[in-house]
């Protein structure tokens, strides 16, 4: 289940990012702590596979984070844009990666909403009640195969159902 994060913690991370930018990257408490936690758990044998969901709009952010975590996290995928990318791959240090898994929902829609409602909102510039589209449900994603002996992802492939 998702963990609820207190608004003060979120504000602290935002402050940390500002300080990171102001110091040209010399102050980076967040990533150092995250990496230490992952390292300690991995060394203690507390998990077999690590997975990172990068929920971001920008493909460049997702690709940069994937390159940064390559070899440290086993499977890295992006979400948020609802459009499946065709760049599934194994990165040089063994992490499986795709920029965006895609959408699970009505194919003939605008992000799951009846397309007519979204078009009306764009054309009329007025608030419109969003109705969920229900026809032609699709599931997009990727399947990653991980070799526990080699400790690396060995295949990555798209699927649509």
């Amino acid at each position: 289940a998702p963990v609820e994060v207190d608004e003060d913690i979120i504000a602290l991370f935002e402050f940390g990012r500002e300080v990171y930018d102001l110091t040209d990257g010399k102050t980076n408490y967040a990533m150092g702590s995250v990496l230490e936690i992952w390292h300690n758990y991995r060394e203690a044998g507390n998990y077999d596979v690590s997975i990172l969901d990068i929920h971001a709009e920008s493909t460049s952010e997702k690709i940069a984070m994937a390159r940064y975590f390559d070899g440290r996290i086993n499977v890295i995928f992006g979400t948020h844009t609802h459009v499946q990318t065709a760049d599934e791959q194994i990165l040089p240090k063994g992490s499986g990666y795709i920029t965006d898994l895609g959408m699970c929902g009505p194919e003939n829609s605008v992000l799951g909403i009846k397309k007519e409602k979204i078009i009306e909102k764009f054309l009329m510039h007025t608030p419109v009640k969003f109705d969920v589209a229900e026809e032609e449900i699709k599931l997009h994603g990727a399947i990653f195969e991980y070799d526990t002996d080699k400790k690396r992802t060995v295949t990555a492939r798209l699927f649509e159902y």
Side-chain angles (χ1 to χ4, degrees):
V3 176
E4 286 192 37
V5 179
D6 188 276
E7 289 296 321
D8 289 340
I9 299 295
I10 293 171
L12 179 62
F13 278 113
E14 289 172 351
F15 173 73
R17 182 162 183 168
E18 289 175 24
V19 171
Y20 178 85
D21 291 341
L22 290 171
T23 63
D24 293 323
K26 293 178 184 143
T27 305
N28 187 0
Y29 68 90
M31 290 314 300
S33 299
V34 168
L35 291 175
E36 181 180 353
I37 290 167
W38 277 326
H39 174 76
N40 292 343
Y41 269 74
R42 183 178 61 240
E43 293 300 310
N46 290 333
Y47 66 88
D48 296 321
V49 178
S50 56
I51 300 172
L52 175 61
D53 174 357
I54 304 172
H55 188 77
E57 186 75 35
S58 166
T59 56
S60 63
E61 290 173 331
K62 295 174 192 181
I63 293 167
M65 292 302 292
R67 297 290 177 182
Y68 179 76
F69 285 115
D70 182 20
R72 297 188 247 188
I73 296 177
N74 308 118
V75 175
I76 304 164
F77 55 81
T79 57
H80 186 66
T81 63
H82 302 95
V83 178
Q84 187 180 51
T85 55
D87 62 340
E88 74 283 5
Q89 62 189 289
I90 308 302
L91 297 174
K93 295 178 184 173
S95 296
Y97 174 73
I98 184 171
T99 301
D100 203 293
L101 289 173
M103 186 176 86
C104 302
E107 178 109 310
N108 189 19
S109 70
V110 177
L111 304 180
I113 303 300
K114 289 183 178 178
K115 62 185 179 288
E116 298 81 9
K117 294 293 186 174
I118 300 297
I119 293 168
E120 178 184 344
K121 179 178 175 56
F122 287 154
L123 293 176
M124 305 308 283
H125 302 283
T126 59
V128 174
K129 180 181 180 283
F130 288 166
D131 295 323
V132 176
E134 297 177 7
E135 67 283 341
E136 299 180 63
I137 304 299
K138 294 280 184 150
L139 171 66
H140 295 115
I143 297 172
F144 296 92
E145 182 182 353
Y146 180 74
D147 185 321
T148 54
D149 294 327
K150 294 179 182 177
K151 299 202 181 305
R152 60 184 290 129
T153 303
V154 293
T155 63
R157 61 185 195 276
L158 300 177
F159 76 83
E160 178 183 300
Y161 179 75

